[in-house]
Amino acid sequence: MKFNVEEVFKKYDVSFFIGMAAIFFIGILNLYSATYNQSTSGLYKAQMLYFILSMMVGFAVSLINSKNFYRIAYYFYAINVFLLILVLVLGKVGMGAQRWLSFGVIRFQPSEFMKLSLVFVLARWFSGNSPYDEISFKQLVVPGVLTFIPAILIIAQPDLGTGLILLLIFSMIIYYRKLKWSAIFKVVLLAALAGSVMYKFGLKEYQRKRIQTFINPYQDAKGSGYNAIQSEIAIGSGRIFGKGYLKSSQASLNFLPENHTDFVFSIFNEEHGLFGSILLIMLYCILFLRFLWLARSVTNVFDSVFCVGLMAIFFWHTFINMAMVSGLLPIVGLPLPFMSYGGSSLITFGICIGLATSISNSRSIF
Amino acid sequence: MFGEEDIVKSHEKRNREVATLVLGMMGIIFARLCFLQVFKGEVLHRYSIENRLREEVLWAPRGKFYSRNMQLLVDNKPRFDATLTRQYLKNERETLAKVAEILGMTIDDIDNVIRRNAYEAKYRPITIKKNISRVELARIETENDELPGINVQVSIAREYIDKEIGAHLLGYISEIQQDQLPRYRKRDNVNYRLGDFIGQSGLEQQLDNYIRGTNGQEYVEVDALGRKRKYINTDNLFTGVENIKPVPGNSLILTIDRDLQKIAHDALQDKAGSLVAIDIKTGEVLAMVSNPAYLPSEFSKGLDPEYWQSLVGNPDRPLRDRVIQEHYSPGSTFKVVTALTGLAEGVINNQTEFFCSGAMNFGRRAYHCWKKGGHGRVNLDKAIRESCNIFFQKVSLKLDIDSIAHYARMLGFGKKTGINIPREISGLIPTKDWKQKTQGVEWQKGETLSCAIGQSFILVTTIQLALAYSAVANNGKVYKPYVVKEIIDKDGEILKTFSSELISELKLPDEYFDKVKRGLFQVVNHPHGTARWLRDSGLLLAGKTGTSQVIRQKAEKIYQKCELMPYEHRHHGVFAGFAPANNPRIALASIVEHGCHGSTAAAPVVQKVALAYMKKYHQEEYEENKKNYKKILKEFKIEI
């Protein structure tokens, strides 16, 4: 098992980075338009810097031998959970919601990395425990606990959106790892039960409101309803061919302050219409399928589950963001990968790309 | 370790299924986009071009303030602001020129306002002029067609019924400042915006959370010029949007009596000073006035820069609450503490007499009495009545400053009283430790002699003085002063009741307090008392005068020619007391800056308020006392 630098570069898989760059290219043009002529108009420059940074981090990660991912999985997870607890404790002291840890200049959001850590730990668990068989309901206990601990810690921050993403990643991985249909039935039943219990709690008006302020503390329910409708108007008004680049009138309406983060997709739709979004959705689908294809062609269970997990991170972000801006889901603040403004999510996605590339490279080396 | 290709292969079916699921869900998104962009595309496109949903704030009325007798003290009245919505602005220069002309502004003024709000959403109205007149309002309404994007917004201005009376206590509201936004958003978990009003001082600030209420929102459809549409939209686009009704704020019922407030204010007219009156049995504050004051309503109207300058530039600092935010040296009013300490420590008893020759020496310094020839033989009654310095200084020779400080603190000096108003200060009661820590020098015994007569380091606030005298009248019980009795909601339901709270108790035999009270009664009712001019046979006022030095002067100069000194060098006049002496009900303190003497400047203010209180609330008792005045004098050992 030698690891030869020359070898790596000869067979370096650039497809993931190309996919990332393609979507980002559309994203940066769109961000420029979304913030055009506004107080946030300089943001695209910062976004380009973040992109270069995340490319560099992703590239560095891609050079790591993928066997190490298996080795570090549990440590990575344990450290991350510890940091989540730390955030919660420090946040309590500071009397308010807190998601960040500061190490001098570097500010760091443990919940952002938790998505990755969860993929690591679940891949590791499922590769080690009777990987030949279908999984039964009982076998979900340990991975279930591994998922719920960070999910609850994150929801308590409070950051309901990221907490739910963890659960969704978990469910996609267990489905892929051949969860028996009877067990799937039980999981669905359990989720429905838990959901309805939650709903019973949520029945009281003020509690429902509280949950909604959890989701987005600076907007009450009706306020976000207003944003959702403006977003629908933006999307619909693009019609089939769009209004043209830099011609978004809804963008200039300024959905304070998320039009460059959560609502970039609506502005893209307004300017480029259905044709534009077909192109964008196809690019995302190609990226998802690339991950799934990689999951089939690797030689061990860890890598395979790992790839599906990485795909799940991308897919759920993309789906939930698009669904919420088009009025299918309530507004929870989740970014659209490579399109939304934000350094910390961009770097996380860059790391995912790097991890997938490393796994892809390792196939040809062995 | 690995080599599990077969297992990976066995996942191919699920892999395909996951792929199908992913593509299927993206397909749902695509279907939704088709629905919005193809099926509803025309409608939504029309909306994006011509029609807008506009968000309007429905201002929540702030809670009202009532006096203890349910008289209105603070109310709301409608106010009209001219607003501009950038989104609907057409022919910008012409429109702005026209608005500027109507409102008596320049185009530059309006441009500046727009620039300041540049980061706000375009559909959000910006206020360009607050509190416009009826004429301006009428012109904007009638010339609406030529003023696209210009509207009038109704909001609520605060009205303080008695103008500047009690301004410091009631406080004022003003627009939230840019630098306050992040802090207050975090503190209250409310998404404040520029233009929101919050309490900035006094009760308006302290109970802002209760009074503020919650603003509502109304979503209205407007046409291309920003005017509300007449027809009701039928294509159900806005079903997700609901209007939110404003929730009115809660009202306060204060412990304050409006009439006493007015009398105190009138008595302090033209002077810089303060008065506070406390119900002895409960700690309820009946009157609390600081002068000069300001007009709180000016702040909610949008402050006129000239008016602001006149407040900030005034050397008497009208914004400062002299009842709780200013401290003074208490002068002779502090002798009560020395007397109680002396009694408690056994230095003074029934037989104690000292000789006052007009001066005494201690160390290398001479200490003078205010009376040049001296008081002769002085017992406690006479010492309080005639305010003899030498008596108390001789008492303090046998006392430790720390024990004086102990009794002073037990009476409420040297710490905040805890009254529910922001920015109270704590005054200062020195101890040996304190001096060593802050000045690095050891305590000098001579300083104890100065402290014994309320000079040197000692500083007190007006409210502490009133509280201490109420404690003396109450035989040592100190009740926390409070100004709000109840908080009631818009339907009059009581949300919160404040009640009296014993915060400390100086446990000494009743006879000690009686001795001190007797001396205080003689101050006003004895032919030789220092405040004998204020004798009123029904009121039975007991109290103590004091003179608070502004600058250090030679002792013999202190008590003379005050009126001849320049105003800013004159002493502050202090008076604290309670009434009626035989059944104490109300404790009061007043400080009149540069008033020269406690007896002529501050005592009349106290007497007027106390008299009004007795006549309003205890008329019968007042008449009864008047009849029995001679008998009462005898009880207090005054022979006529």
Side-chain angles (χ1 to χ4, degrees):
Chain A
M1 277 199 251
K2 66 179 170 61
F3 185 77
N4 188 323
V5 177
E6 227 173 279
E7 199 90 3
V8 169
F9 281 106
K10 214 179 276 173
K11 297 187 174 162
Y12 194 88
D13 179 2
V14 289
S15 60
F16 286 96
F17 281 109
I18 288 175
M20 169 178 174
I23 299 175
F24 178 79
F25 179 68
I26 296 175
I28 194 79
L29 291 177
N30 187 56
L31 185 70
Y32 179 77
S33 171
T35 58
Y36 185 64
N37 244 345
Q38 284 174 34
S39 59
T40 48
S41 61
L43 284 185
Y44 72 96
K45 291 178 198 156
Q47 178 81 342
M48 289 212 274
L49 285 179
Y50 287 137
F51 178 70
I52 292 165
L53 189 65
S54 81
M55 276 291 232
M56 277 163 29
V57 172
F59 180 69
V61 169
S62 77
L63 296 181
I64 300 170
N65 187 336
S66 66
K67 283 207 317 288
N68 293 317
F69 303 155
Y70 179 87
R71 292 203 195 102
I72 62 161
Y74 286 137
Y75 304 109
F76 196 43
Y77 174 84
I79 290 169
N80 207 336
V81 169
F82 172 74
L83 289 177
L84 281 179
I85 295 171
L86 206 63
V87 164
L88 216 57
V89 173
L90 293 180
K92 277 258 164 63
V93 175
M95 300 268 273
Q98 191 168 349
R99 299 172 187 180
W100 297 90
L101 277 182
S102 301
F103 300 102
V105 201
I106 302 163
R107 285 208 313 161
F108 162 78
Q109 205 174 345
S111 59
E112 194 62 49
F113 287 94
M114 197 62 230
K115 301 165 200 161
L116 267 174
S117 304
L118 183 71
V119 171
F120 269 99
V121 80
L122 290 179
R124 169 78 196 247
W125 173 266
F126 283 120
S127 67
N129 289 275
S130 52
Y132 287 93
D133 312 322
E134 296 188 327
I135 332 175
S136 67
F137 189 67
K138 275 183 195 161
Q139 282 167 288
L140 283 184
V141 173
V142 176
V145 169
L146 288 174
T147 308
F148 271 94
I149 290 171
I152 288 166
L153 287 173
I154 289 172
I155 289 173
Q157 275 184 359
D159 181 357
L160 191 59
T162 310
L164 289 178
I165 285 262
L166 291 191
L167 301 182
L168 290 171
I169 292 170
F170 171 71
S171 46
M172 189 160 263
I173 286 177
I174 57 175
Y175 182 80
Y176 178 70
R177 241 322 265 125
K178 294 197 281 186
L179 186 63
K180 281 179 189 155
W181 277 104
S182 62
I184 290 176
F185 181 70
K186 283 178 196 162
V187 169
V188 171
L189 206 70
L190 203 70
L193 206 74
S196 64
V197 169
M198 280 276 277
Y199 189 71
K200 245 174 201 170
F201 277 113
L203 260 183
K204 277 183 189 165
E205 189 59 28
Y206 77 93
Q207 279 170 323
R208 201 180 292 167
K209 263 192 184 152
R210 193 175 290 174
I211 287 170
Q212 277 155 349
T213 39
F214 259 12
I215 296 168
N216 193 346
Y218 289 131
Q219 244 160 2
D220 51 54
K222 272 83 182 200
S224 60
Y226 177 73
N227 273 2
I229 280 162
Q230 292 292 3
S231 173
E232 277 180 44
I233 293 177
I235 292 174
S237 70
R239 295 182 290 183
I240 295 172
F241 300 105
K243 290 178 181 170
Y245 189 55
L246 294 181
K247 298 239 168 67
S248 156
S249 68
Q250 291 293 108
S252 59
L253 281 188
N254 214 338
F255 310 108
L256 277 181
E258 293 92 355
N259 63 342
H260 55 282
T261 55
D262 292 353
F263 289 98
V264 279
F265 188 60
S266 13
I267 286 153
F268 182 80
N269 269 280
E270 187 184 1
E271 294 186 345
H272 305 287
L274 194 59
F275 273 91
S277 46
I278 289 175
L279 175 78
L280 190 63
I281 288 176
M282 272 168 52
L283 278 178
Y284 277 112
C285 286
I286 290 169
L287 189 66
F288 302 150
L289 294 180
R290 179 72 190 85
F291 276 102
L292 288 175
W293 184 75
L294 180 60
R296 289 167 70 161
S297 60
V298 293
T299 51
N300 63 69
V301 178
F302 176 84
D303 285 357
S304 184
V305 174
F306 195 71
C307 288
V308 173
L310 293 178
M311 192 280 296
I313 295 178
F314 276 101
F315 170 69
W316 288 119
H317 274 96
T318 310
F319 176 76
I320 292 176
N321 180 282
M322 289 181 172
M324 80 189 189
V325 298
S326 60
L328 290 175
L329 287 177
I331 310 272
V332 288
L334 279 180
L336 186 59
F338 306 127
M339 294 280 291
S340 290
Y341 174 79
S344 134
S345 68
L346 205 51
I347 285 169
T348 311
F349 293 130
I351 292 173
C352 290
I353 295 292
L355 291 167
T357 305
S358 163
I359 287 173
S360 179
N361 291 346
S362 70
R363 285 174 310 166
S364 34
I365 292 166
F366 302 125
Chain B
M1 177 161 65
F2 296 127
E4 315 155 339
E5 284 173 63
D6 295 342
I7 315 172
V8 174
K9 282 243 154 56
S10 75
H11 282 84
E12 272 183 16
K13 186 162 168 277
R14 282 286 166 102
N15 193 314
R16 272 197 304 278
E17 285 167 10
V18 169
T20 314
L21 182 82
V22 165
L23 294 180
M25 288 179 80
M26 293 309 279
I28 294 175
I29 300 280
F30 179 68
R32 175 70 179 172
L33 294 179
C34 284
F35 172 74
L36 290 175
Q37 295 180 317
V38 180
F39 186 69
K40 292 189 83 176
E42 288 312 314
V43 179
L44 292 174
H45 187 255
R46 188 164 51 88
Y47 267 105
S48 81
I49 299 299
E50 322 173 327
N51 297 284
R52 295 278 190 267
L53 191 60
R54 194 169 72 185
E55 182 189 44
E56 287 192 346
V57 180
L58 299 174
W59 296 99
R62 261 178 105 77
K64 300 173 181 181
F65 292 4
Y66 296 95
S67 76
R68 64 185 295 116
N69 305 318
M70 293 307 284
Q71 287 162 304
L72 203 52
L73 295 176
V74 182
D75 197 5
N76 303 307
K77 62 179 181 192
R79 184 192 85 182
F80 301 97
D81 296 340
T83 66
L84 177 153
T85 312
R86 276 182 293 160
Q87 189 191 338
Y88 308 118
L89 207 53
K90 284 199 177 142
N91 311 324
E92 189 174 317
R93 290 297 107 188
E94 286 166 45
T95 308
L96 291 190
K98 192 155 177 55
V99 182
E101 185 255 311
I102 293 176
L103 298 177
M105 304 167 77
T106 65
I107 296 192
D108 284 347
D109 293 339
I110 299 180
D111 276 337
N112 282 337
V113 176
I114 295 176
R115 213 168 302 130
R116 265 207 304 281
N117 290 279
Y119 60 90
E120 279 278 8
K122 279 192 172 171
Y123 58 82
R124 226 162 241 164
I126 303 168
T127 304
I128 46 177
K129 188 177 176 187
K130 287 169 205 150
N131 204 31
I132 58 173
S133 69
R134 296 268 162 183
V135 179
E136 292 165 341
L137 169 70
R139 281 196 66 189
I140 291 181
E141 291 291 340
T142 50
E143 292 168 43
N144 196 301
D145 283 346
E146 295 159 55
L147 297 170
I150 306 295
N151 286 82
V152 172
Q153 198 170 44
V154 187
S155 62
I156 296 162
R158 210 72 167 137
E159 191 184 10
Y160 298 83
I161 309 284
D162 290 325
K163 307 282 188 276
E164 78 268 32
I165 300 179
H168 302 91
L169 162 72
L170 304 174
Y172 62 86
I173 60 170
S174 75
E175 270 183 42
I176 193 162
Q177 305 291 310
Q178 184 85 52
D179 59 323
Q180 289 175 325
L181 272 176
R183 205 154 31 95
Y184 280 74
R185 278 178 181 164
K186 196 165 179 185
R187 189 195 66 180
D188 301 340
N189 201 19
V190 173
N191 187 22
Y192 292 114
R193 285 189 196 138
L194 283 183
D196 283 351
F197 282 88
I198 54 163
Q200 301 277 20
S201 85
L203 288 173
E204 295 272 27
Q205 178 187 12
Q206 189 72 23
L207 296 171
D208 196 44
N209 274 331
Y210 288 99
I211 309 164
R212 191 194 317 119
T214 314
N215 288 343
Q217 268 162 340
E218 187 182 31
Y219 295 98
V220 289
E221 274 188 79
V222 291
D223 65 15
L225 296 181
R227 291 175 302 213
K228 289 184 192 178
R229 281 191 89 96
K230 298 277 176 342
Y231 77 87
I232 310 288
N233 175 52
T234 49
D235 41 10
N236 263 349
L237 183 71
F238 298 137
T239 43
V241 173
E242 284 174 51
N243 296 336
I244 315 168
K245 280 191 184 151
V247 183
N250 304 306
S251 296
L252 307 182
I253 300 176
L254 308 187
T255 61
I256 299 291
D257 182 286
R258 190 181 167 199
D259 298 330
L260 298 188
Q261 204 67 350
K262 215 173 239 166
I263 287 163
H265 178 263
D266 291 345
L268 281 170
Q269 203 65 42
D270 308 326
K271 298 170 193 157
S274 57
L275 174 122
V276 61
I278 298 177
D279 183 323
I280 284 173
K281 303 259 160 60
T282 59
E284 288 177 22
V285 176
L286 298 164
M288 187 169 170
V289 169
S290 171
N291 213 44
Y294 55 87
L295 290 169
S297 56
E298 292 297 312
F299 287 83
S300 66
K301 272 186 200 158
L303 200 56
D304 174 20
E306 271 173 45
Y307 184 66
W308 174 248
Q309 269 314 314
S310 77
L311 293 179
V312 186
N314 187 336
D316 278 333
R317 293 185 296 172
L319 288 171
R320 176 161 295 213
D321 185 348
R322 290 178 155 74
V323 178
I324 59 167
Q325 293 165 357
E326 190 78 83
H327 51 206
Y328 305 87
S329 89
S332 302
T333 55
F334 194 75
K335 286 173 182 167
V336 162
V337 178
T338 313
L340 278 174
T341 312
L343 287 163
E345 302 287 314
V347 178
I348 306 173
N349 58 37
N350 285 335
Q351 282 78 47
T352 306
E353 270 189 7
F354 290 109
F355 187 79
C356 168
S357 65
M360 69 178 276
N361 290 311
F362 180 81
R364 265 175 287 166
R365 205 188 133 180
Y367 292 81
H368 294 262
C369 194
W370 65 271
K371 196 170 180 184
K372 230 177 182 178
H375 289 97
R377 300 176 69 79
V378 184
N379 63 6
L380 181 62
D381 277 4
K382 188 175 174 186
I384 295 177
R385 179 211 310 152
E386 295 178 27
S387 200
C388 176
N389 288 355
I390 302 299
F391 178 91
F392 289 102
Q393 284 173 329
K394 285 189 172 166
V395 168
S396 72
L397 284 175
K398 298 178 195 164
L399 290 174
D400 189 80
I401 184 62
D402 286 353
S403 78
I404 295 179
H406 168 74
Y407 290 100
R409 292 183 70 86
M410 288 300 285
L411 290 171
F413 289 117
K415 56 193 177 191
K416 294 177 183 177
T417 63
I419 192 170
N420 207 9
I421 305 176
R423 294 186 277 278
E424 187 191 3
I425 60 169
S426 56
L428 176 65
I429 295 297
T431 59
K432 287 177 191 159
D433 265 5
W434 169 83
K435 197 183 174 202
Q436 190 69 52
K437 266 183 205 147
T438 55
Q439 323 219 329
V441 190
E442 216 171 87
W443 185 265
Q444 304 294 311
K445 185 68 189 176
E447 288 164 344
T448 309
L449 269 65
S450 296
C451 285
I453 57 167
Q455 293 174 1
S456 179
F457 302 107
I458 298 177
L459 292 170
V460 305
T461 62
T462 314
I463 192 143
Q464 285 172 343
L465 261 183
L467 196 64
Y469 274 73
S470 112
V472 169
N474 238 341
N475 290 6
K477 288 197 182 68
V478 185
Y479 290 102
K480 184 165 161 178
Y482 63 105
V483 285
V484 181
K485 246 185 167 163
E486 279 166 2
I487 300 179
I488 54 172
D489 70 9
K490 62 178 193 316
D491 304 318
E493 295 285 323
I494 297 171
L495 292 180
K496 198 168 176 177
T497 309
F498 296 85
S499 50
S500 77
E501 189 187 327
L502 188 68
I503 45 176
S504 71
E505 188 172 359
L506 177 56
K507 287 204 171 101
L508 290 176
D510 284 349
E511 56 170 317
Y512 293 175
F513 289 107
D514 290 343
K515 279 190 180 123
V516 172
K517 280 190 241 179
R518 195 169 68 213
L520 294 174
F521 180 76
Q522 293 186 4
V523 167
V524 184
N525 296 280
H526 192 281
H528 297 298
T530 52
R532 56 189 174 275
W533 306 280
L534 298 168
R535 192 167 91 160
D536 182 289
S537 55
L539 179 59
L540 308 182
L541 182 65
K544 184 76 198 74
T545 54
T547 307
S548 166
Q549 283 173 257
V550 178
I551 51 164
R552 226 168 232 287
Q553 282 171 333
K554 278 191 182 160
E556 59 273 15
K557 265 193 172 176
I558 292 176
Y559 303 104
Q560 290 157 16
K561 300 181 209 155
C562 174
E563 282 79 0
L564 301 177
M565 293 196 280
Y567 175 76
E568 62 274 16
H569 288 179
R570 292 180 198 166
H571 316 305
H572 300 326
V574 187
F575 189 87
F578 53 86
N582 58 353
N583 177 27
R585 293 181 178 280
I586 182 174
L588 312 94
S590 172
I591 294 177
V592 173
E593 291 183 7
H594 311 297
C596 282
H597 306 289
S599 58
T600 53
V605 181
V606 164
Q607 197 230 23
K608 276 178 197 159
V609 175
L611 208 51
Y613 167 81
M614 281 306 286
K615 284 182 176 167
K616 179 168 179 178
Y617 290 96
H618 304 286
Q619 176 72 28
E620 277 178 30
E621 189 179 330
Y622 178 80
E623 299 297 343
E624 192 76 10
N625 287 339
K626 210 162 195 160
K627 257 187 263 162
N628 301 329
Y629 187 56
K630 283 206 172 134
K631 219 168 85 194
I632 296 166
L633 284 181
K634 252 178 219 150
E635 282 167 25
F636 283 93
K637 291 196 178 170
I638 298 175
E639 313 282 342
I640 298 175

